[in-house]
Amino acid sequence: MSALAVTSLFLSAALLFSMQPMLSRMGLPMLGGAPSVWNTSMVFFQAAVLMGYGLADVLARVGTVRVQAWVFAGLIACGWVVQPLRLGGAAMAPGDSPAGWLLGRLLVSAGLPALALSMAAPLLQRWFHGRTGRDPYFLYVASNLGSLGALVAYPFWVEPWLGLAGQAEAWRWGYVAWGVMVWAMGMAPGGRGAAVASVVAALGSGRAGEAIAAAGGAPGARKLASWALMGAIPASLLQGCTMFLTTDIASVPLLWVVPLATYLATFVLTFDAGMRRPVAWARRALPYLGVSLLLALMTRATQPVGLLMALHLGFLLAAGLACHGRLVEERPAACHLTRFYLALAAGGVAGGAFNALVAPQVFRTMAEYPLAISMACGLGLAGAGMRWAWKDTGVAALVGGGVLAGGWAAGALAGGHERLRDAGVFGLAALACWCLKGRPHRFGLALLAVFGAGGVLETGWSRNEATLRNFFGITRVTRDAGGKFRQLMHGNT
């Protein structure tokens, strides 16, 4: 049973995460390679995961495992009908929203198979627990290893050797093989019910507290909201990091694979019971990385490219380990795992949709990225029992006010020495934040205050004449240093 469960979950995740770059690749002739194309595709798949986890939560409470297997098999068969995968349909008309058009095409082309594949992680873990009575959370490692493997394999092996038609056909038969595995697992000889198995196993090992938790009611709204928030912060940070790296650091084809692989690695490391040390290391490193990232962003550093990429990706890794590590620490008894994964998926959708759909309409700059950085430092480091206090906000406001006052004074005294001005103002701001690292909420709010004050100062210091943000990125019209020429800027280009 263990080998079948691991293989089924690995393959379902691999199919889902190979579908994602393949369909994004199909959209290139219509939308090009803008980072928003990838981020919008991410939102679609995050929404599919949310719906799949929701259906799994409902189905897990209906009848026996064999009844659930029949229903699941029917949905898998429906996913077969729309294959081979293709991103066809009507061309985008003038005035259409690129994000809306892409989401619509993805829904029609891949909605059913993506939904079926998304249901596998929670439902198959629930079946495994019901058959064996064992803790099933280790299976989430296999699921994320499948995702990571498919993501790395696509640019290096799949895309260079197979055309899109060949990719779709190979994917189709992989989907059939996965469906057979799921059917075999659902029809395997039955065991005890999931809830009963949890109680019996926990009592048998002397863990009475866990037994009571397993037999108890579903997690409350506050706990669900906490899980969703810990899922939303890394998801938002992932998209912000991807957008920033591919726009302001290096416009490299398929560079988006690296941040997503980093994000998936945090799930592998945190859900593996033997990998607790990386989470502790990440929590110690997060304040160092957060302050360094603050300084790099506020001084608009673009060189050296390798060091900056390592800094952004290192922060994403540490923040993901901190947030997902807290999720693992707060995970419920196995009989409630579908609700746990549903909350995690809801947070992922919220974080991704905020960056891909809301932020371009609300912000003229990439403000969602500093917001996610600040939240990761403030909430990712805070334990479940830590409470926010008004004093934290007051201290952060003092830091932000000090940055504004120092910035205005430095702007008047620095003359044309812009780099010296920025280094002085934001170097002191970074030091002030660093002194607050022992109080996570205060530390995160101080970072946010410095980012906000920096945005205000940038408006007064910059030579921007116009700024436009749309689906394809942020475009600025600026004057050169001599004031003689206008420049059209996209990121650092």
Side-chain angles (χ1 to χ4, degrees):
M1 174 62 76
S2 294
L4 185 58
V6 168
T7 306
S8 301
L9 285 165
F10 182 92
L11 185 56
S12 67
L15 288 168
L16 187 62
F17 271 76
S18 58
M19 179 197 296
Q20 190 166 345
M22 180 169 61
L23 288 171
S24 299
R25 168 72 177 80
M26 292 176 181
L28 283 177
M30 286 77 80
L31 295 172
S36 293
V37 176
W38 173 247
N39 281 351
T40 303
S41 299
M42 283 273 293
V43 170
F44 168 79
F45 285 98
Q46 286 169 330
V49 169
L50 175 61
M51 291 187 65
Y53 284 9
L55 282 175
D57 184 55
V58 173
L59 187 57
R61 305 172 194 284
V62 176
T64 64
V65 169
R66 293 198 174 192
V67 170
Q68 296 166 18
W70 277 106
V71 176
F72 195 20
L75 182 58
I76 293 172
C78 291
W80 167 264
V81 174
V82 300
Q83 297 182 43
L85 297 175
R86 58 192 180 278
L87 198 65
M92 187 168 56
D96 284 355
S97 163
W101 180 87
L102 179 58
L103 289 172
R105 296 317 311 152
L106 288 170
L107 178 62
V108 172
S109 304
L112 284 173
L115 184 65
L117 289 165
S118 298
M119 291 178 65
L123 192 59
L124 268 59
Q125 287 185 54
R126 182 70 179 254
W127 290 358
F128 174 83
H129 176 63
R131 302 289 197 195
T132 66
R134 293 172 54 193
D135 186 334
Y137 283 105
F138 77 94
L139 293 172
Y140 202 53
V141 176
S143 181
N144 282 282
L145 281 174
S147 304
L148 188 58
L151 192 66
V152 173
Y154 189 84
F156 294 107
W157 293 291
V158 177
E159 173 67 11
W161 295 101
L162 281 176
L164 285 174
Q167 293 174 32
E169 191 63 21
W171 193 95
R172 183 185 189 185
W173 291 107
Y175 184 84
V176 172
W178 169 72
V180 172
M181 290 181 188
V182 170
W183 178 254
M185 189 170 175
M187 294 296 111
R192 295 165 294 186
V196 175
S198 293
V199 177
V200 172
L203 285 174
S205 61
R207 292 174 284 128
E210 183 179 331
I212 294 170
R222 186 169 182 173
K223 180 61 70 176
L224 292 172
S226 174
W227 292 339
L229 183 61
M230 288 301 103
I233 293 171
S236 176
L237 196 60
L238 164 65
Q239 294 213 12
C241 179
T242 302
M243 179 73 80
F244 187 84
L245 289 181
T246 54
T247 303
D248 286 357
I249 301 297
S251 182
V252 178
L254 296 178
L255 180 60
W256 46 260
V257 167
V258 182
L260 183 55
T262 303
Y263 172 79
L264 292 173
T266 65
F267 283 109
V268 174
L269 292 171
T270 52
F271 277 81
D272 185 341
M275 298 292 286
R276 292 290 175 263
R277 190 169 293 175
V279 176
W281 288 343
R283 287 173 175 158
R284 285 197 292 268
L286 197 58
Y288 296 89
L289 293 168
V291 170
S292 301
L293 201 53
L294 168 73
L295 199 55
L297 289 172
M298 289 293 93
T299 56
R300 301 180 299 283
T302 58
Q303 296 291 336
V305 171
L307 179 60
L308 287 172
M309 289 186 65
L311 176 59
H312 286 269
L313 293 170
F315 183 85
L316 175 62
L317 177 65
L321 287 172
C323 293
H324 295 150
R326 181 170 162 187
L327 276 171
V328 171
E329 291 164 0
E330 298 179 8
R331 70 189 187 278
C335 59
H336 300 308
L337 70 83
T338 54
R339 195 64 53 86
F340 171 74
Y341 286 125
L342 181 60
L344 174 59
V349 171
F354 176 75
N355 281 56
L357 305 179
V358 177
Q361 308 300 321
V362 175
F363 302 130
R364 289 201 307 166
T365 63
M366 209 177 297
E368 65 273 17
Y369 189 33
L371 177 61
I373 292 169
S374 303
M375 292 182 69
C377 288
L379 299 176
L381 287 173
M386 291 187 180
R387 300 294 182 185
W388 164 82
W390 281 106
K391 187 183 293 186
D392 297 331
T393 306
V395 172
L398 286 175
V399 173
V403 172
L404 286 175
W408 285 327
L413 298 173
H417 300 287
E418 296 180 359
R419 293 194 178 277
L420 182 61
R421 175 201 64 196
D422 292 349
V425 172
F426 295 111
L428 290 173
L431 180 61
C433 291
W434 170 252
C435 293
L436 303 174
K437 69 182 187 302
R439 300 286 297 271
H441 290 141
R442 192 171 297 182
F443 178 57
L445 287 170
L447 287 177
L448 185 60
V450 174
F451 280 125
V456 173
L457 292 173
E458 174 64 21
T459 302
W461 289 344
S462 72
R463 293 181 292 272
N464 287 353
E465 294 189 356
T467 302
L468 171 68
R469 181 172 184 178
N470 60 20
F471 181 79
F472 297 100
I474 299 171
T475 306
R476 296 174 292 119
V477 177
T478 69
R479 287 276 187 179
D480 71 329
K484 295 182 178 180
F485 301 100
R486 286 188 175 92
Q487 302 169 132
L488 179 64
M489 305 289 293
H490 182 265
N492 287 322
T493 304

